[in-house]
Amino acid sequence: MKIHLQTPQEIRPQIWKELGRASQDRHHEWRTPVLASTDADGLPDARTVVLRQVDALAGQLTFYTDRRSPKVPQLQAQAQAMLVFWSARLSWQLRVRVACTVITAGPEVEALWQGVKQSAAAGDYLSPLPPGAVLTKDSSMTPNAETANGLAPAHHFAVLRAQVLQMDWLELSREGHRRAQLSATTWAWLTP
Ligand SMILES: Cc1cc2nc3c(=O)[nH]c(=O)nc-3n(C[C@H](O)[C@H](O)[C@H](O)COP(=O)(O)O)c2cc1C
C-alpha cells in the first residue's frame, strides 16, 4: 500500500530513505540513475551508473568508476552534473544537481578496492585499455601483461563523490501530480 506523504517534513526524509535503500538493494529502480555531465565542447554527455553509497546527513551520493573513463576529465573540468532517477513503483522522478569530486587515489580508494577486487566487477577496473578505447583485433586479443607475468595487475578504480546541491522531485499520480524543488534548507512547490 502506498502511504501518502503530505508535507515537506515527510517527503524530504522519504526521498533520502529511498536513495539509501537503492544503494543497498540491487532491485531498487533508483539503483541505476543516469549521470549527465558536460564535455570539453560544452555538449551534454550521459550514462547509467550504479548508486553505491548514500550519506543523507552529508548530502552525498557515491559511485564507482574507472579513472580513465571520459566522464572523469569531464567532471574535473566541470564539476556540476545532473543525476536522474525514475521509479515506476514510487511514480517518482528525482533530478539531482550535484557537484562531483573524483577520488583516484588514497586510503578510501584502496579500502573500497579491497572489496571490489573480490567481486565480479573487478575486471571492469583491471582492463589494460581505458573505457571507450577502440578495440582492434590485436588489442582485444592482448592479455593483461601483468597478469601474464603473475604480478597483481594495476587497478583503475576510482570513487566519484557527488555533493547534492538541489533536487527536483516529481510525483506522478492520478489524483494530481506534485512537484517540488528542494535544497538542504529550502522547499518550493512547483507546477508539475
Ligand atoms: C546498468 C549499468 C550500470 C553501470 N554502472 C556504471 C558505474 O557504476 N560506473 C561507471 O563508471 N560506469 C557504469 N556503467 C557504464 C556507463 O554507463 C558507461 O558506459 C561507461 O562508464 C563509460 O562512460 P563515459 O564514456 O561517459 O565515461 C554502467 C552501465 C550500465 C548499463
Side-chain angles (χ1 to χ4, degrees):
M1 197 189 77
K2 241 177 219 177
I3 351 145
H4 198 66
L5 304 162
Q6 291 294 354
T7 66
Q9 292 72 24
E10 291 169 335
I11 299 168
R12 188 199 306 273
Q14 194 60 32
I15 292 171
W16 280 101
K17 201 166 176 179
E18 292 294 346
L19 286 169
R21 281 180 184 160
S23 70
Q24 312 268 325
D25 174 4
R26 62 171 66 223
H27 301 297
H28 196 295
E29 294 158 300
W30 278 7
R31 175 83 165 171
T32 47
V34 171
L35 168 70
S37 57
T38 309
D39 77 8
D41 299 319
L43 298 172
D45 202 351
R47 78 290 289 158
T48 310
V49 285
V50 176
L51 179 62
R52 300 289 181 177
Q53 292 169 20
V54 172
D55 184 335
L57 218 60
Q60 289 177 341
L61 308 175
T62 300
F63 305 87
Y64 299 163
T65 196
D66 185 308
R67 65 179 149 82
R68 301 165 301 169
S69 69
K71 71 180 85 51
V72 170
Q74 288 177 10
L75 293 168
Q76 285 167 339
Q78 172 51 270
Q80 288 215 26
M82 273 297 255
L83 284 157
V84 185
F85 302 79
W86 159 245
S87 166
R89 179 178 60 84
L90 298 166
S91 284
W92 282 7
Q93 174 184 255
L94 190 67
R95 297 156 76 194
V96 187
R97 185 169 291 286
V98 291
C100 295
T101 312
V102 186
I103 310 159
T104 56
E108 185 183 8
V109 171
E110 290 314 315
L112 288 170
W113 172 243
Q114 292 312 311
V116 174
K117 81 172 184 193
Q118 320 280 354
S119 74
D124 298 351
Y125 305 101
L126 292 167
S127 142
L129 291 171
V134 176
L135 291 175
T136 62
K137 208 173 166 209
D138 281 348
S139 60
S140 60
M141 301 288 284
T142 308
N144 189 314
E146 288 143 323
T147 313
N149 289 339
L151 301 170
H155 73 78
H156 305 283
F157 174 76
V159 175
L160 201 166
R161 179 132 305 131
Q163 181 69 46
V164 174
L165 304 175
Q166 197 169 61
M167 290 177 170
D168 183 311
W169 170 81
L170 172 68
E171 178 185 66
L172 300 181
S173 165
R174 248 176 269 170
E175 292 93 66
H177 307 327
R178 295 188 297 174
R179 181 177 170 193
Q181 192 173 76
L182 55 144
S183 70
T185 53
T186 64
W187 183 283
W189 291 106
L190 303 182
T191 306

